[in-house]
Amino acid sequence: MIAFLLALITAASWSPAEAPGPQLRTSPAQHSDRQLYRDIIKGVASGGDYYQVAASEQRAAGYPLKPFFTFRLPTHATIYAALGEPVMIVAVWALCGGLMFAWWWRLRSALPFPMLGMAMFLIAGGLGGMLQPVTGLFHESWAGLLLALMIAVRRPDRLWPSFLAGGAALMIRELALPMILAMGGLAVIAKRWREAAGWAAIVALFAAYMALHAHWVAEVVLPMDQPSQGWSRLLGAQFALKSIAKVTFGIRLPDPLAAALLVLSLFGWASVRSGWALRVFLLLLGYGAMLALFARTDTFYWSLIAAPLAFAGLAFLPAAFDDLGKALRAVPQPAS
């Protein structure tokens, strides 16, 4: 295990400067996604129909309009247009505060006090990018906060808060679907049929929403509108690690150090025998793999989904290394 961990750290931090890095734009002339979302919100706030406004803005900025999921779900823009960006900035900050409290409550019995303080510091560092006023314009920021909250508040005897947080994440950004399916799959494995039925109901509701979304998109797309260039860029694990570092306090660290700490954090989550730690491990591993396999350099902000808990696993390393040390020092006993 020690050798495997060292190999992973070496691979992740080896010559990161040669790996592709995150970019807001792939060229100076390109319209940024953040500006696109702001323009759509402004159009909806002025009384425009979401799909008409989104199609017009994407067409004017040279964005693809095919297939239908090149359009974001209307949830985010509609709420932003109704409440206004200042209110939503405060809402993001409040959600960050609630997430900190939820994970403090979750971890208070799992960690000694010094490590609990460290975990809170690391979660705060993961939330650093979320506190920037413009970050809330990215749908992934809301999805990431809500998925992290979903795991923190899940209780086998009190599931509705977890359902509510996970369902909200899914209705804002469809990229939350793999984690919702993982939650349902773990419930099936554990034979928690009531919980599995709840996640299945959320997925069914989402499927209906997506079917309506596809129908409404089809009404505004024109035959000459350009299709998507695709997402299978295979930029690799180092791009994924760089992207997560860029949206957290890891942006202040050298790339090799940030990559090594992210790998160690993932190991820390994996070392804890608990349902909530397993779910965080799957979230970080799954969305890291999504970034490595499918993201483009200008869609690095997918990493916001993994950001809140990306470094917090470091708080579990003292106990994990103590276990490894004991195993390393163990003297084999002769067979009787």
Side-chain angles (χ1 to χ4, degrees):
M1 180 60 71
I2 293 170
F4 178 68
L5 183 59
L6 289 173
L8 280 180
I9 293 172
T10 301
S13 57
W14 189 269
S15 300
E18 299 176 7
Q23 297 176 321
L24 279 175
R25 300 173 177 87
T26 55
S27 69
Q30 183 187 359
H31 203 70
S32 74
D33 289 5
R34 182 176 62 197
Q35 187 59 49
L36 173 68
Y37 301 148
R38 179 168 274 156
D39 291 343
I40 292 173
I41 291 167
K42 183 186 293 186
V44 175
S46 299
D49 172 75
Y50 169 76
Y51 289 95
Q52 293 286 352
V53 170
S56 176
E57 294 293 344
Q58 289 182 211
R59 196 175 288 125
Y63 278 82
L65 283 80
K66 304 172 186 176
F68 71 90
F69 46 79
T70 56
F71 285 69
R72 293 289 177 266
L73 290 166
T75 314
H76 176 275
T78 302
I79 296 173
Y80 257 81
L83 299 181
E85 191 170 340
V87 173
M88 296 305 291
I89 290 170
V90 175
V92 170
W93 293 346
L95 185 54
C96 287
L99 181 63
M100 289 282 294
F101 177 78
W103 274 102
W104 173 81
W105 190 264
R106 169 62 76 182
L107 296 176
R108 74 193 194 285
S109 61
L111 287 169
F113 184 75
M115 290 298 100
L116 179 60
M118 180 182 177
M120 294 298 99
F121 171 78
L122 292 168
I123 293 174
L127 295 174
M130 307 287 189
L131 299 177
Q132 299 296 319
V134 297
T135 306
L137 293 171
F138 292 106
H139 307 66
E140 290 79 2
S141 64
W142 292 90
L145 290 169
L146 289 165
L147 289 177
L149 184 65
M150 171 190 74
I151 298 171
V153 300
R154 178 188 170 274
R155 301 286 190 281
D157 58 340
R158 190 168 174 264
L159 292 166
W160 69 264
S162 185
F163 288 155
L164 186 62
L170 189 55
M171 300 307 167
I172 291 172
R173 187 67 167 106
E174 63 273 15
L175 287 182
L177 181 60
M179 194 61 214
I180 301 301
L181 294 175
M183 296 290 285
L186 290 172
V188 170
I189 292 171
K191 297 182 179 180
R192 297 184 178 277
W193 306 120
R194 185 168 68 91
E195 181 180 1
W199 294 119
I202 290 171
V203 173
L205 182 62
F206 168 73
Y209 189 20
M210 283 297 284
L212 288 172
H213 178 62
H215 172 71
W216 291 327
V217 168
E219 292 183 336
V220 298
V221 173
L222 303 175
M224 68 286 295
D225 287 328
Q226 61 177 313
S228 170
Q229 58 183 301
W231 289 270
S232 299
R233 287 297 181 266
L234 301 175
L235 295 179
Q238 288 191 336
F239 170 76
L241 295 170
K242 279 185 176 183
S243 298
I244 294 172
K246 184 176 177 65
V247 298
T248 62
F249 77 102
I251 194 173
R252 305 292 182 185
L253 303 175
D255 286 343
L257 178 58
L261 291 177
L262 285 168
V263 171
L264 285 169
S265 177
L266 187 64
F267 174 74
W269 285 111
S271 71
V272 182
R273 296 189 64 180
S274 170
W276 45 263
L278 172 61
R279 286 165 174 79
V280 175
F281 174 78
L282 292 176
L283 185 149
L284 298 179
L285 185 65
Y287 287 99
M290 185 181 295
L291 282 162
L293 295 173
F294 303 116
R296 301 191 305 265
T297 55
D298 59 337
T299 58
F300 72 93
Y301 50 79
W302 293 2
S303 58
L304 287 165
I305 298 177
L309 304 175
F311 285 96
L314 295 171
F316 301 107
L317 289 183
F321 287 159
D322 183 59
D323 287 344
L324 287 175
K326 290 176 181 177
L328 193 64
R329 294 190 301 269
V331 179
Q333 298 297 317
S336 57

